[in-house]
Amino acid sequence: MTKVQTSILLILTACTSVSSALSNHYSQRELNEEKVVASNWQQHSPEYEALVYQSFNMARDNLANALSQLSKGERAEGKRAAIVTDIDDTLIDGTTYFSSMVGTDGVRNIDASMSWWQTQRMEALPGAVDFLNEANNKGVEIFYISGRFNEAKEVSMAKLKQLGFPIKGPEYFLFQTTDNETLSKEEHRQKIRDKGYHILMLLGDQLDDLAEVQGRYFTQRQQWVHQNRSHFSKDWISLPNLVYGSWESAVVTEGFSQLSPRQKHDANLDALGHSYFSQIQDPTFARHNINAMLWVNASADYHALTYQAYNHATGMLEKLDQKTMENPVIVVDINGTILQYTPLKPDLNQPAPGSEGHDYSWFLKRQKQAKPTSGALEFLAAAKAKGFDIFYISEQPVSSGLPGSSKDIEELIVGELKELGYPDADETHVVSKEEYCSEAEPKDCTKTIQRRAITGGRVDNKKHQVALYISDTLSDFDLEEKGFDPDLKTSVAANKDLFGRQYMVIPNPINTRRLVTLYNDYAGTPMSDLSSEEQASIRLKMIRDWPEKPF
């Protein structure tokens, strides 16, 4: 080889190395963008607000029973009742701190956190103030355990008091020292017990707010949730938080904080499954959607929320007086509610089911891979044993329209539910989209018509009274029949007492049909009319920002 050839080879090798390094580069800014859809859903969707009301309604419903569990012996010993609660994204909205990192290379750090706690314009989450004041008025002591540092205790107390939370003094606030890297709360909980308190209930948006979680990896944490599922909705009240949390680091067994942005991104994709992620055709939306997808598919926190909903629904069965109801039924949605929602093509421009251009081949493949949502099967079996009929409302048509398939979708759904052991899994009780829509235009064939078919006796020649609705979207409840728009937060506030009681919400931030509605409303125009870049701009504009951010 000549000197010239050697020089050329060295140059080509160097160029290849540089190119490889560039292709492997993934910035902190790109990693921060993985929170975009999670932030959009948590900060703007009425479903999130309904879930928060639902959590506090559950806590209120269980308070009297929790007080009764304080045994005579404990009372004789002078034990006092206490509730222990987290603060950020349990009582107040704290997502803006994290969503404001989008578009920057910012990361969470002590100085930024201290600045945020000092300047934050606190906003109470719906239902939080009312619940804690009700508990306080019944003689329950309220303790606040937070990952905030002790230096922020005074300002935090003042701001919470201004919002109306019951505040007695600094001894009821257990914060962290700046050198505490684990931010474990178990030691604080034990201190409360050692002072002679019986902890009736724990509230938090992280599993670590409720107990010492066993295992670091997400599959270990999911197993821990399953083993402790009976606590949720009773003495453990969980709130959804898919913007940030300890669940993020559970995609690796240890050392997550020491990883580079590229390594964290790769760990996220490994937890999701690269083939799943690659199905999204819009790469920007794919990146924006990672946190939301991870929370549903690879966090234990999601399973805690679904167990909580179905546990409480099971408890509701005891309170419902079937004798006063005409043929009482439970009405449930399917995908995202009793079957875990894992779309193979989660793109915003995917045509809606039943509309022209909808690709049913991918749906048929997806449905065969569906798994039961944690707690759903047990609840519906209990409801059936109590004498309730179960009706499943599907957004899908009877047939895909593919050659030689007159009822392929209905048969697939019925077969899947039956195979998984769901009760009343037959063609009568699975109410498909267009079965009762003869009087409506295709675009107006909503689930309102399916609900009316059930209650009006068109499905099985019996009129039914719905005892409980369960779904991942508010449009599946009978809000429209009551004159409310299910896409508005004002409708949630007007019906706040029904969530966790007549309406049971299952969290599903990756329901693209629901996301499209959210984005359409914000943009004032259909997202399908916008380019990928314009759609991304809408998502970014929706994010709440912290004007004083130091990032």
mmCIF file of all heavy atoms in Angstrom, residues 31 181-182 215-218 220 246-265 267-268:
data_model
loop_
_atom_site.group_PDB
_atom_site.id
_atom_site.type_symbol
_atom_site.label_atom_id
_atom_site.label_comp_id
_atom_site.label_asym_id
_atom_site.label_seq_id
_atom_site.Cartn_x
_atom_site.Cartn_y
_atom_site.Cartn_z
ATOM 1 N N LEU A 31 -33.687 14.282 24.867
ATOM 2 C CA LEU A 31 -34.227 13.451 25.949
ATOM 3 C C LEU A 31 -35.376 14.175 26.648
ATOM 4 O O LEU A 31 -36.398 13.555 26.981
ATOM 5 C CB LEU A 31 -33.124 13.117 26.950
ATOM 6 C CG LEU A 31 -33.484 12.079 28.021
ATOM 7 C CD1 LEU A 31 -33.691 10.709 27.408
ATOM 8 C CD2 LEU A 31 -32.396 12.019 29.096
ATOM 9 N N GLU A 181 -29.450 11.489 48.868
ATOM 10 C CA GLU A 181 -29.537 11.126 47.456
ATOM 11 C C GLU A 181 -30.695 10.178 47.172
ATOM 12 O O GLU A 181 -31.242 10.174 46.078
ATOM 13 C CB GLU A 181 -28.216 10.492 47.000
ATOM 14 C CG GLU A 181 -27.041 11.457 47.039
ATOM 15 C CD GLU A 181 -25.770 10.814 46.528
ATOM 16 O OE1 GLU A 181 -25.818 9.611 46.168
ATOM 17 O OE2 GLU A 181 -24.724 11.494 46.486
ATOM 18 N N THR A 182 -31.090 9.369 48.148
ATOM 19 C CA THR A 182 -32.147 8.378 47.894
ATOM 20 C C THR A 182 -33.538 8.971 48.054
ATOM 21 O O THR A 182 -34.490 8.501 47.441
ATOM 22 C CB THR A 182 -32.013 7.187 48.860
ATOM 23 O OG1 THR A 182 -32.214 7.651 50.201
ATOM 24 C CG2 THR A 182 -30.641 6.555 48.742
ATOM 25 N N GLY A 215 -37.421 -3.906 44.862
ATOM 26 C CA GLY A 215 -36.960 -4.070 43.488
ATOM 27 C C GLY A 215 -36.767 -2.743 42.788
ATOM 28 O O GLY A 215 -37.519 -1.791 43.003
ATOM 29 N N ARG A 216 -35.767 -2.685 41.929
ATOM 30 C CA ARG A 216 -35.479 -1.460 41.184
ATOM 31 C C ARG A 216 -35.994 -1.528 39.755
ATOM 32 O O ARG A 216 -36.431 -0.526 39.204
ATOM 33 C CB ARG A 216 -33.972 -1.195 41.164
ATOM 34 C CG ARG A 216 -33.396 -0.831 42.525
ATOM 35 C CD ARG A 216 -31.912 -0.483 42.402
ATOM 36 N NE ARG A 216 -31.354 -0.040 43.675
ATOM 37 C CZ ARG A 216 -30.076 0.321 43.832
ATOM 38 N NH1 ARG A 216 -29.250 0.272 42.791
ATOM 39 N NH2 ARG A 216 -29.648 0.708 45.019
ATOM 40 N N TYR A 217 -35.909 -2.711 39.146
ATOM 41 C CA TYR A 217 -36.292 -2.856 37.735
ATOM 42 C C TYR A 217 -37.808 -2.864 37.609
ATOM 43 O O TYR A 217 -38.516 -3.316 38.522
ATOM 44 C CB TYR A 217 -35.693 -4.142 37.188
ATOM 45 C CG TYR A 217 -35.667 -4.231 35.671
ATOM 46 C CD1 TYR A 217 -35.144 -3.194 34.913
ATOM 47 C CD2 TYR A 217 -36.154 -5.360 35.012
ATOM 48 C CE1 TYR A 217 -35.103 -3.280 33.528
ATOM 49 C CE2 TYR A 217 -36.122 -5.454 33.635
ATOM 50 C CZ TYR A 217 -35.596 -4.410 32.893
ATOM 51 O OH TYR A 217 -35.574 -4.489 31.524
ATOM 52 N N PHE A 218 -38.321 -2.375 36.482
ATOM 53 C CA PHE A 218 -39.768 -2.180 36.372
ATOM 54 C C PHE A 218 -40.559 -3.478 36.499
ATOM 55 O O PHE A 218 -41.668 -3.479 37.033
ATOM 56 C CB PHE A 218 -40.125 -1.419 35.086
ATOM 57 C CG PHE A 218 -39.960 -2.180 33.798
ATOM 58 C CD1 PHE A 218 -41.007 -2.922 33.274
ATOM 59 C CD2 PHE A 218 -38.778 -2.101 33.074
ATOM 60 C CE1 PHE A 218 -40.875 -3.598 32.072
ATOM 61 C CE2 PHE A 218 -38.635 -2.767 31.869
ATOM 62 C CZ PHE A 218 -39.681 -3.522 31.363
ATOM 63 N N GLN A 220 -39.775 -5.996 38.415
ATOM 64 C CA GLN A 220 -39.797 -6.297 39.846
ATOM 65 C C GLN A 220 -40.805 -5.408 40.567
ATOM 66 O O GLN A 220 -41.531 -5.863 41.459
ATOM 67 C CB GLN A 220 -38.403 -6.079 40.438
ATOM 68 C CG GLN A 220 -37.331 -7.007 39.881
ATOM 69 C CD GLN A 220 -35.942 -6.607 40.337
ATOM 70 O OE1 GLN A 220 -35.626 -5.421 40.458
ATOM 71 N NE2 GLN A 220 -35.096 -7.599 40.595
ATOM 72 N N SER A 246 -39.932 8.125 39.961
ATOM 73 C CA SER A 246 -38.954 7.051 40.161
ATOM 74 C C SER A 246 -39.127 5.941 39.139
ATOM 75 O O SER A 246 -38.194 5.164 38.904
ATOM 76 C CB SER A 246 -39.082 6.484 41.578
ATOM 77 O OG SER A 246 -40.408 6.057 41.826
ATOM 78 N N TRP A 247 -40.311 5.867 38.521
ATOM 79 C CA TRP A 247 -40.539 4.842 37.493
ATOM 80 C C TRP A 247 -39.632 5.046 36.287
ATOM 81 O O TRP A 247 -39.337 4.088 35.561
ATOM 82 C CB TRP A 247 -42.006 4.843 37.058
ATOM 83 C CG TRP A 247 -42.481 6.153 36.491
ATOM 84 C CD1 TRP A 247 -43.075 7.173 37.170
ATOM 85 C CD2 TRP A 247 -42.397 6.572 35.132
ATOM 86 N NE1 TRP A 247 -43.370 8.211 36.318
ATOM 87 C CE2 TRP A 247 -42.969 7.864 35.060
ATOM 88 C CE3 TRP A 247 -41.913 5.992 33.968
ATOM 89 C CZ2 TRP A 247 -43.046 8.585 33.868
ATOM 90 C CZ3 TRP A 247 -41.984 6.706 32.779
ATOM 91 C CH2 TRP A 247 -42.547 7.985 32.733
ATOM 92 N N GLU A 248 -39.171 6.297 36.059
ATOM 93 C CA GLU A 248 -38.309 6.563 34.896
ATOM 94 C C GLU A 248 -36.995 5.803 34.991
ATOM 95 O O GLU A 248 -36.479 5.295 33.984
ATOM 96 C CB GLU A 248 -38.019 8.058 34.793
ATOM 97 C CG GLU A 248 -39.211 8.917 34.429
ATOM 98 C CD GLU A 248 -38.850 10.392 34.362
ATOM 99 O OE1 GLU A 248 -38.696 11.005 35.438
ATOM 100 O OE2 GLU A 248 -38.717 10.906 33.245
ATOM 101 N N SER A 249 -36.427 5.747 36.200
ATOM 102 C CA SER A 249 -35.132 5.086 36.362
ATOM 103 C C SER A 249 -35.247 3.574 36.425
ATOM 104 O O SER A 249 -34.235 2.872 36.415
ATOM 105 C CB SER A 249 -34.444 5.596 37.635
ATOM 106 O OG SER A 249 -35.219 5.301 38.782
ATOM 107 N N ALA A 250 -36.488 3.056 36.474
ATOM 108 C CA ALA A 250 -36.692 1.610 36.604
ATOM 109 C C ALA A 250 -36.522 0.866 35.282
ATOM 110 O O ALA A 250 -36.720 -0.340 35.228
ATOM 111 C CB ALA A 250 -38.083 1.323 37.176
ATOM 112 N N VAL A 251 -36.152 1.587 34.212
ATOM 113 C CA VAL A 251 -35.903 0.904 32.926
ATOM 114 C C VAL A 251 -34.549 0.207 32.933
ATOM 115 O O VAL A 251 -34.232 -0.566 32.019
ATOM 116 C CB VAL A 251 -35.978 1.893 31.739
ATOM 117 C CG1 VAL A 251 -37.386 2.423 31.576
ATOM 118 C CG2 VAL A 251 -34.977 3.041 31.896
ATOM 119 N N VAL A 252 -33.705 0.476 33.943
ATOM 120 C CA VAL A 252 -32.447 -0.251 34.120
ATOM 121 C C VAL A 252 -32.393 -0.721 35.572
ATOM 122 O O VAL A 252 -33.104 -0.205 36.440
ATOM 123 C CB VAL A 252 -31.211 0.625 33.804
ATOM 124 C CG1 VAL A 252 -31.168 0.989 32.343
ATOM 125 C CG2 VAL A 252 -31.194 1.881 34.667
ATOM 126 N N THR A 253 -31.533 -1.681 35.853
ATOM 127 C CA THR A 253 -31.491 -2.252 37.196
ATOM 128 C C THR A 253 -30.837 -1.313 38.194
ATOM 129 O O THR A 253 -31.173 -1.308 39.375
ATOM 130 C CB THR A 253 -30.743 -3.596 37.193
ATOM 131 O OG1 THR A 253 -29.461 -3.406 36.564
ATOM 132 C CG2 THR A 253 -31.526 -4.641 36.423
ATOM 133 N N GLU A 254 -29.872 -0.505 37.750
ATOM 134 C CA GLU A 254 -29.207 0.441 38.647
ATOM 135 C C GLU A 254 -28.401 1.436 37.819
ATOM 136 O O GLU A 254 -28.147 1.242 36.628
ATOM 137 C CB GLU A 254 -28.294 -0.279 39.630
ATOM 138 C CG GLU A 254 -27.207 -1.100 38.988
ATOM 139 C CD GLU A 254 -26.375 -1.863 40.003
ATOM 140 O OE1 GLU A 254 -26.780 -1.951 41.171
ATOM 141 O OE2 GLU A 254 -25.309 -2.366 39.611
ATOM 142 N N GLY A 255 -28.026 2.546 38.458
ATOM 143 C CA GLY A 255 -27.127 3.511 37.824
ATOM 144 C C GLY A 255 -27.752 4.381 36.760
ATOM 145 O O GLY A 255 -27.028 4.926 35.913
ATOM 146 N N PHE A 256 -29.067 4.573 36.787
ATOM 147 C CA PHE A 256 -29.723 5.354 35.734
ATOM 148 C C PHE A 256 -29.209 6.792 35.691
ATOM 149 O O PHE A 256 -28.992 7.349 34.612
ATOM 150 C CB PHE A 256 -31.235 5.353 35.953
ATOM 151 C CG PHE A 256 -32.020 6.060 34.883
ATOM 152 C CD1 PHE A 256 -32.303 5.438 33.680
ATOM 153 C CD2 PHE A 256 -32.479 7.363 35.083
ATOM 154 C CE1 PHE A 256 -33.028 6.087 32.694
ATOM 155 C CE2 PHE A 256 -33.208 8.024 34.105
ATOM 156 C CZ PHE A 256 -33.484 7.388 32.903
ATOM 157 N N SER A 257 -29.015 7.399 36.853
ATOM 158 C CA SER A 257 -28.608 8.809 36.886
ATOM 159 C C SER A 257 -27.214 9.028 36.291
ATOM 160 O O SER A 257 -26.895 10.144 35.865
ATOM 161 C CB SER A 257 -28.646 9.333 38.330
ATOM 162 O OG SER A 257 -27.747 8.610 39.151
ATOM 163 N N GLN A 258 -26.397 7.988 36.243
ATOM 164 C CA GLN A 258 -25.048 8.135 35.692
ATOM 165 C C GLN A 258 -25.000 7.919 34.178
ATOM 166 O O GLN A 258 -23.962 8.124 33.550
ATOM 167 C CB GLN A 258 -24.085 7.138 36.355
ATOM 168 C CG GLN A 258 -23.597 7.552 37.738
ATOM 169 C CD GLN A 258 -24.647 7.390 38.803
ATOM 170 O OE1 GLN A 258 -25.251 6.314 38.911
ATOM 171 N NE2 GLN A 258 -24.886 8.426 39.592
ATOM 172 N N LEU A 259 -26.108 7.521 33.584
ATOM 173 C CA LEU A 259 -26.124 7.257 32.146
ATOM 174 C C LEU A 259 -26.141 8.550 31.347
ATOM 175 O O LEU A 259 -26.645 9.584 31.804
ATOM 176 C CB LEU A 259 -27.349 6.412 31.776
ATOM 177 C CG LEU A 259 -27.494 5.036 32.427
ATOM 178 C CD1 LEU A 259 -28.766 4.358 31.923
ATOM 179 C CD2 LEU A 259 -26.278 4.174 32.155
ATOM 180 N N SER A 260 -25.615 8.496 30.139
ATOM 181 C CA SER A 260 -25.685 9.629 29.217
ATOM 182 C C SER A 260 -27.092 9.719 28.634
ATOM 183 O O SER A 260 -27.858 8.743 28.712
ATOM 184 C CB SER A 260 -24.679 9.432 28.081
ATOM 185 O OG SER A 260 -25.089 8.342 27.242
ATOM 186 N N PRO A 261 -27.466 10.858 28.046
ATOM 187 C CA PRO A 261 -28.783 10.946 27.404
ATOM 188 C C PRO A 261 -29.016 9.841 26.370
ATOM 189 O O PRO A 261 -30.120 9.289 26.288
ATOM 190 C CB PRO A 261 -28.759 12.328 26.745
ATOM 191 C CG PRO A 261 -27.866 13.132 27.630
ATOM 192 C CD PRO A 261 -26.794 12.164 28.062
ATOM 193 N N ARG A 262 -27.995 9.494 25.610
ATOM 194 C CA ARG A 262 -28.139 8.417 24.623
ATOM 195 C C ARG A 262 -28.414 7.087 25.319
ATOM 196 O O ARG A 262 -29.282 6.320 24.898
ATOM 197 C CB ARG A 262 -26.874 8.333 23.762
ATOM 198 C CG ARG A 262 -26.650 7.000 23.027
ATOM 199 C CD ARG A 262 -27.801 6.619 22.113
ATOM 200 N NE ARG A 262 -27.919 7.501 20.978
ATOM 201 C CZ ARG A 262 -28.878 7.401 20.050
ATOM 202 N NH1 ARG A 262 -29.791 6.441 20.162
ATOM 203 N NH2 ARG A 262 -28.946 8.239 19.050
ATOM 204 N N GLN A 263 -27.698 6.807 26.392
ATOM 205 C CA GLN A 263 -27.898 5.547 27.110
ATOM 206 C C GLN A 263 -29.276 5.485 27.750
ATOM 207 O O GLN A 263 -29.921 4.436 27.769
ATOM 208 C CB GLN A 263 -26.795 5.374 28.162
ATOM 209 C CG GLN A 263 -25.411 5.116 27.575
ATOM 210 C CD GLN A 263 -24.320 5.182 28.625
ATOM 211 O OE1 GLN A 263 -24.369 6.011 29.543
ATOM 212 N NE2 GLN A 263 -23.323 4.314 28.497
ATOM 213 N N LYS A 264 -29.749 6.608 28.275
ATOM 214 C CA LYS A 264 -31.101 6.638 28.853
ATOM 215 C C LYS A 264 -32.146 6.421 27.774
ATOM 216 O O LYS A 264 -33.125 5.679 27.971
ATOM 217 C CB LYS A 264 -31.334 7.975 29.558
ATOM 218 C CG LYS A 264 -30.541 8.153 30.831
ATOM 219 C CD LYS A 264 -30.783 9.517 31.473
ATOM 220 C CE LYS A 264 -29.962 9.677 32.757
ATOM 221 N NZ LYS A 264 -30.152 11.012 33.369
ATOM 222 N N HIS A 265 -31.948 7.059 26.636
ATOM 223 C CA HIS A 265 -32.882 6.890 25.520
ATOM 224 C C HIS A 265 -32.926 5.437 25.068
ATOM 225 O O HIS A 265 -34.009 4.874 24.860
ATOM 226 C CB HIS A 265 -32.453 7.796 24.360
ATOM 227 C CG HIS A 265 -33.238 7.594 23.103
ATOM 228 N ND1 HIS A 265 -34.573 7.934 22.992
ATOM 229 C CD2 HIS A 265 -32.883 7.066 21.892
ATOM 230 C CE1 HIS A 265 -35.005 7.645 21.775
ATOM 231 N NE2 HIS A 265 -34.001 7.116 21.098
ATOM 232 N N ALA A 267 -32.167 2.808 26.813
ATOM 233 C CA ALA A 267 -32.805 2.008 27.865
ATOM 234 C C ALA A 267 -34.319 2.142 27.790
ATOM 235 O O ALA A 267 -35.057 1.164 27.988
ATOM 236 C CB ALA A 267 -32.294 2.451 29.244
ATOM 237 N N ASN A 268 -34.802 3.348 27.484
ATOM 238 C CA ASN A 268 -36.243 3.558 27.313
ATOM 239 C C ASN A 268 -36.794 2.713 26.173
ATOM 240 O O ASN A 268 -37.849 2.082 26.289
ATOM 241 C CB ASN A 268 -36.538 5.034 27.046
ATOM 242 C CG ASN A 268 -36.324 5.908 28.265
ATOM 243 O OD1 ASN A 268 -36.268 5.418 29.388
ATOM 244 N ND2 ASN A 268 -36.194 7.202 28.048
#
